[in-house]
Amino acid sequence: MRKIAVLTGTRADYGLLRGLLQEIEADEALELQLIVTGTHLSDAFGRTESEIEDDGLRVAASVPIWSADDSRLGAAEDVGSALPRYARVLTDLAPDILVVLGDRLEAFAAATAATVVSVPLAHIHGGELTEGAMDDALRHSITKMAYLHFTSTEDHRRRVIQMGEQPDRVYFHGAPIVDALSALELLPREEVERRFGVRLSQPTALVTFHPAVMDVDAPEVVLEELLVALLEVDGLHVVVTGSNSDIGTADVRQRIAAFVESNTDRVDFVESFGQLGYLSAMSAATVVAGNSSSTVLEAPVLGTPSVLVGDRQKGRPLASSVATPDANRTAIASALRDAIRGVQDQSDIDIFGHPGFAARTAATLRDATIPTPPRKKFHDLEEGSGS
């Protein structure tokens, strides 16, 4: 059996990985080794490890890595201390390949550890751009450490090849979120309201905002403009979710908590919906707003218009249903009103491919030839060629 280790560090990436995890579990030629880390193990972020337990998946290793220090120095120290922890787990599990998704610090640290201890790496969602965060540097670094690549669009595949990766190791199997949505039976609005204590019956904005350390404007400025804009739209109810554990998250969370407390008549807060609850709330909402990747991935696929603020997702492909106003309250409020009126186009929601990512990716993980050690040859582009 080929042993496939998969790293999950947040409620968001677990929701995207769930289908792949289930495909690996069901394949008699594969053994799943699930490594749980990051905010899954944090009480402050809802300890979402319980969602994994509820799904009946066996955890091969739990690796706590985050301290309570969300400063740049604290994050750097946490990443440094995470490296030997991941290296020990990978040495003990001895997987044939480690799968990581995205561009977060825990994925970068695990990828680095895998490279050092010579565990082949597979990377999901490489080749993308998010210019308003350090994610680009982390994501591209993971790409150069990875042997197999699973990109969410053909453009992203071409970009990974442009970075010197051999085309026969770079696969466009589509975006995991398309699979996740096709497999889910979303909760009706009334059930979401009952289960999470939120109000969705009137025009509602589902809001998620994360700190973005490389945004042109300071995160607290962008957040303030967004929050003021939400209140300026008459009759708009707001449901806010918890932010992630990025650098500067404590300040963002404090500002959101104060906003919620001061506007209880119009604002509800949910720390973590879980994937099913979050997507069900998104489907029931009138508009999605903030700077989360869900504004550019999940919302368009669900057909819910979205308002993306700031530069955190700058560089990602955007469906026409995604509005990108200037980061000031007037422009944001205007975009929210347009979304409520249904102005955005919904004609190009298939830019992230079609269902089947999990099955295609599991088959590739099972069948791909992976040398030991996983040596790579740099792929030089021919002049005037993109492949």
Side-chain angles (χ1 to χ4, degrees):
M1 295 180 70
R2 176 172 278 186
K3 296 187 290 186
I4 310 296
V6 182
L7 183 90
T8 176
T10 71
R11 65 183 190 261
D13 73 39
Y14 176 68
L16 298 177
L17 289 167
R18 180 189 280 112
L20 176 59
L21 297 173
Q22 293 169 342
E23 287 284 342
I24 295 172
E25 278 268 87
D27 194 318
E28 293 182 355
L30 299 176
E31 176 186 342
L32 174 63
Q33 298 175 319
L34 184 56
I35 302 172
V36 176
T37 188
T39 57
H40 280 307
L41 307 177
S42 168
D43 289 331
F45 293 89
R47 189 165 283 276
T48 47
E49 181 183 25
S50 60
E51 294 178 24
I52 299 171
E53 296 168 349
D54 291 343
D55 285 339
L57 292 169
R58 188 180 70 84
V59 175
S62 295
V63 188
I65 61 170
W66 294 133
S67 67
D69 186 350
D70 72 335
S71 68
R72 294 173 188 264
L73 178 58
E77 291 176 339
D78 286 345
V79 169
S81 65
L83 281 170
R85 298 179 189 178
Y86 288 138
R88 290 190 193 97
V89 165
L90 292 172
T91 300
D92 291 342
L93 295 177
D96 294 295
I97 194 162
L98 170 67
V99 180
V100 300
L101 182 147
D103 44 53
R104 290 183 53 78
L105 285 169
E106 54 263 41
F108 170 75
T112 303
T115 301
V116 172
V117 299
S118 199
V119 171
L121 186 70
H123 185 209
I124 300 170
H125 272 301
E128 303 185 8
L129 299 178
T130 47
E131 298 171 9
M134 69 172 69
D135 299 356
D136 272 8
L138 302 178
R139 185 187 310 106
H140 300 334
S141 296
I142 296 171
T143 289
K144 293 310 300 177
M145 290 187 277
Y147 189 83
L148 296 177
H149 309 271
F150 304 110
T151 68
S152 62
T153 71
E154 280 287 2
D155 284 344
H156 297 151
R157 180 177 182 270
R158 285 191 289 270
R159 191 172 288 136
V160 169
I161 295 169
Q162 182 182 346
M163 294 170 65
E165 298 302 298
Q166 294 174 337
D168 62 356
R169 294 187 285 101
V170 188
Y171 301 84
F172 166 44
H173 286 338
I177 186 57
V178 179
D179 261 21
L181 289 173
S182 69
L184 281 178
E185 183 176 344
L186 298 178
L187 302 172
R189 173 180 59 79
E190 294 81 6
E191 176 62 15
V192 177
E193 291 179 322
R194 184 194 66 78
R195 187 175 298 188
F196 298 100
V198 297
R199 294 160 283 181
L200 297 167
S201 57
Q202 60 196 84
T204 302
L206 180 65
V207 179
T208 303
F209 187 91
H210 303 304
V213 296
M214 296 179 70
D215 215 324
V216 173
D217 297 312
E220 60 271 18
V221 173
V222 179
L223 176 59
E224 179 65 19
E225 294 299 303
L226 171 62
L227 297 180
V228 172
L230 289 163
L231 295 180
E232 286 186 353
V233 179
D234 292 339
L236 181 64
H237 188 70
V238 181
V239 177
V240 188
T241 73
S243 59
N244 63 22
S245 62
D246 286 346
I247 295 168
T249 193
D251 181 62
V252 167
R253 292 173 73 85
Q254 288 171 3
R255 291 173 185 271
I256 290 175
F259 172 74
V260 173
E261 185 176 354
S262 299
N263 299 280
T264 54
D265 58 326
R266 293 186 58 183
V267 181
D268 297 321
F269 177 80
V270 177
E271 178 60 53
S272 174
F273 276 102
Q275 185 191 49
L276 176 60
Y278 183 62
L279 295 175
S280 299
M282 183 178 292
S283 179
T286 313
V287 59
V288 177
N291 64 0
S292 164
S293 61
S294 61
T295 60
V296 301
L297 288 173
E298 289 91 332
V301 177
L302 280 171
T304 303
S306 58
V307 175
L308 173 63
V309 299
D311 293 332
R312 193 173 193 272
Q313 304 299 332
K314 187 175 182 180
R316 287 191 185 274
L318 301 180
S320 53
S321 61
V322 183
T324 56
D326 291 338
N328 66 73
R329 61 195 66 183
T330 302
I332 296 170
S334 177
L336 290 168
R337 294 186 186 100
D338 286 345
I340 293 170
R341 293 199 303 269
V343 171
Q344 280 107 321
D345 183 12
Q346 298 282 340
S347 62
D348 56 356
I349 63 172
D350 61 348
I351 60 175
F352 296 107
H354 304 283
F357 162 84
R360 291 188 286 266
T361 301
T364 302
L365 292 170
R366 181 190 63 226
D367 300 333
T369 299
I370 304 173
T372 303
R375 294 174 59 185
K376 302 192 299 183
K377 181 179 179 181
F378 194 94
H379 176 75
D380 286 308
L381 298 181
E382 297 179 8
E383 187 173 352
S385 170
S387 63

